Amino acid sequence: SDTPGAEPILYGVGDFRFAALDENTTRVTWRYAFKLRDDRLPGSLGSLGVRLFRSSFLDTRYADFMRSGAVAMQRWAVRDGR
């Protein structure tokens, strides 16, 4: 794998939804999902592995990444008047 930390992940998908609330406000919803590989930890542990993946990655490092991405998108939108 090009990203060693991603070896337990079979795939991930993300989706952005934009909804205008009024002339100056847009709600952005960022949804995502991951499929863990069944032949590697933590995926090979079943539902326990999913909980470990969530607590050790999704709720920590990935959440930090998502927050910084959302802040960057907001700065870009405000700067460019979008």
Side-chain angles (χ1 to χ4, degrees):
S1 169
D2 292 339
T3 308
E7 288 178 359
I9 301 169
L10 183 60
Y11 64 83
V13 294
D15 169 64
F16 291 94
R17 305 265 172 126
F18 301 88
L21 301 180
D22 60 42
E23 187 175 301
N24 297 310
T25 307
T26 301
R27 174 182 292 141
V28 179
T29 305
W30 186 355
R31 299 182 323 162
Y32 60 90
F34 291 94
K35 171 67 174 142
L36 295 176
R37 294 176 56 135
D38 293 336
D39 62 343
R40 300 207 179 174
L41 288 173
S44 60
L45 298 175
S47 62
L48 172 61
V50 170
R51 288 194 304 274
L52 290 170
F53 178 70
R54 176 177 297 280
S55 66
S56 68
F57 177 69
L58 293 182
D59 292 344
T60 57
R61 292 177 288 161
Y62 195 72
D64 293 342
F65 166 74
M66 288 174 47
R67 277 190 285 279
S68 66
V71 167
M73 287 189 308
Q74 180 183 27
R75 286 183 183 149
W76 171 79
V78 169
R79 183 191 70 223
D80 289 356
R82 299 187 189 275

